[in-house]
Amino acid sequence: MPKVEIQLNLGENDYDPQEFVNAAVLADELGFRTVWFGDHIFPWFHSGKRSSFVWSMLSVALEKTDRIRVGPWVTAPIGARYHPAIVAQAAATLDNMYPGRVLLGVGSGEALNERPFWNDAWPKWDVRMERLIEGIRLIRMMWDSKEPFKFEGKYFASDFYYLYTKPRREIPIYFSAIGKKAARLAGMYADQLITICPRNDIQTMKEVILPAYRQGRIEANKTGPGGVAIEVNFSFLAPEEIVRSQWRTLGIYHKDSWSIPNPVAVEEEGRRVTVDEVRKGTHICNNWGDVVKVIQQYAKIGVTAVSLYTGPDKRQIRAVAKNVLTVF
């Protein structure tokens, strides 16, 4: 069986922050190597009524655990809400205290969380991607530079940048990419790729996403295929039941949901999600054996880590540990 790491995505919505920290502690005790927290100022749907600040939770989770690695899935260092220098400092400070246990997931962001900080003028995808790439360059220079430096970018520029408190270990950067263009850029500028399924199903991953990612690595003169982390969205409910009972959470299923402006609008979009859209966006499984088979399929084509969304639900985390983690 191909080697694949089973990870957890705990999110940051719907519960008070201590619940997410407690979930990370449990995951550490159960033997998981990695957990991710979401990074949003607003929740993905309005009725969730919670959305904790990820960098606060990360620090407490690291303090209360012994081995597990943690990181944001994902932060958007494109300016406005987060300047890349601030992200560099935040991650470096954590790694300075908890060396080797800090990961950094980055992406181009979504209007839901970033648009208010742009005075509602949400940049187009190509601009956001340019900002992300430039932000990654600045983050790495902040981590690595032994002397103050000048940075002259298209979007970020100053005659003095320097990070005084450095990370103790190399912090891996995971680049969130859904499509072919972004996957190539992930290969060029990051250490690992993050994506989601089944929006990217087995065939799409094998024939489009992974080749583009590897092409980017080749263009950047990197060796090896590179790490690939994928979030597997699954449910034991029938699609019809998901539409009926979970419609508030389904707005993300719509194409270009990243451009929906706020949590109220995302939740309203959930009312219009169809059964077919749910089938395309969720692996419908009968049991944990089916979940294992899905993971095995992705592992066979080169995925190196699979993140399962559990939220801070301790019963679900224990079930994943018992039925999935023990298999891999």
Side-chain angles (χ1 to χ4, degrees):
M1 182 183 300
K3 187 176 182 180
V4 62
E5 180 192 352
I6 304 302
Q7 305 176 345
L8 299 179
N9 186 345
L10 304 179
E12 83 297 337
N13 296 169
D14 310 340
Y15 299 85
D16 288 328
Q18 189 63 53
E19 294 297 314
F20 297 95
V21 172
N22 294 343
V25 171
L26 176 62
D28 191 36
E29 293 171 350
L30 292 173
F32 290 94
R33 291 174 51 208
T34 304
V35 294
W36 300 94
F37 294 85
D39 184 2
H40 302 95
I41 188 169
F42 305 126
W44 264 109
F45 62 102
H46 181 63
S47 298
K49 298 184 183 300
R50 301 286 192 282
S51 191
S52 304
F53 184 53
V54 68
W55 295 99
S56 300
M57 293 195 300
L58 289 173
S59 61
V60 180
L62 284 163
E63 176 63 23
K64 291 194 173 185
T65 55
D66 297 319
R67 299 171 299 275
I68 204 161
R69 303 181 305 169
V70 304
W73 182 296
V74 298
T75 285
I78 62 172
R81 187 162 78 105
Y82 285 135
H83 191 286
I86 298 300
V87 173
Q89 184 185 33
T93 299
L94 289 177
D95 189 79
N96 189 278
M97 295 187 291
Y98 308 98
R101 296 177 57 203
V102 178
L103 311 175
L104 180 60
V106 299
S108 60
E110 65 283 311
L112 173 87
N113 288 283
E114 309 298 328
R115 180 173 167 268
F117 300 91
W118 296 89
N119 296 326
D120 290 346
W122 181 227
K124 293 182 179 179
W125 179 87
D126 56 346
V127 173
R128 302 200 314 272
M129 195 56 64
E130 287 179 350
R131 285 179 165 273
L132 176 59
I133 292 166
E134 193 172 295
I136 291 172
R137 284 180 49 223
L138 179 53
I139 288 169
R140 291 195 191 280
M141 290 179 69
M142 295 281 286
W143 288 343
D144 296 339
S145 179
K146 293 179 172 56
E147 300 289 341
F149 62 92
K150 182 178 183 179
F151 189 88
E152 296 181 306
K154 181 177 179 181
Y155 301 103
F156 308 108
S158 176
D159 61 2
F160 189 98
Y161 279 114
Y162 186 62
L163 188 61
Y164 287 82
T165 298
K166 301 288 189 183
R168 295 184 184 273
R169 303 281 177 84
E170 183 175 340
I171 302 174
I173 295 180
Y174 291 67
F175 190 117
S176 177
I178 307 301
K180 180 179 179 179
K181 292 180 181 179
R184 174 176 162 269
L185 296 173
M188 294 177 67
Y189 297 104
D191 301 301
Q192 299 209 34
L193 167 71
I194 286 175
T195 191
I196 58 177
C197 81
R199 181 171 290 193
N200 281 329
D201 58 20
I202 297 291
Q203 183 177 355
T204 302
M205 284 293 296
K206 184 177 181 179
E207 298 179 1
V208 179
I209 303 301
L210 292 180
Y213 172 58
R214 289 164 183 161
Q215 178 60 36
R217 290 183 61 81
I218 291 170
E219 291 178 35
N221 296 316
K222 297 177 182 178
T223 59
V228 179
I230 187 168
E231 181 170 294
V232 172
N233 185 24
F234 73 95
S235 178
F236 296 137
L237 299 176
E240 293 80 5
E241 177 60 20
I242 295 173
V243 168
R244 187 192 69 78
S245 64
Q246 299 181 7
W247 62 267
R248 291 178 177 85
T249 69
L250 299 182
I252 193 173
Y253 280 66
H254 275 308
K255 185 177 181 180
D256 199 28
S257 59
W258 325 114
S259 297
I260 301 174
N262 59 66
V264 174
V266 174
E267 187 164 317
E268 285 302 309
E269 285 296 318
R271 295 180 183 275
R272 290 180 277 277
V273 171
T274 67
V275 170
D276 285 342
E277 286 177 305
V278 169
R279 287 197 183 98
K280 292 176 182 178
T282 307
H283 285 288
I284 303 300
C285 300
N286 294 317
N287 49 50
W288 287 107
D290 288 348
V291 177
V292 168
K293 290 176 183 177
V294 169
I295 295 171
Q296 288 172 335
Q297 288 180 312
Y298 282 101
K300 286 178 182 177
I301 64 170
V303 169
T304 55
V306 168
S307 176
L308 300 177
Y309 181 80
T310 60
D313 185 334
K314 292 182 178 180
R315 184 171 63 177
Q316 184 81 329
I317 291 169
R318 290 190 179 96
V320 173
K322 177 182 178 180
N323 296 288
V324 181
L325 186 63
T326 54
V327 176
F328 296 95

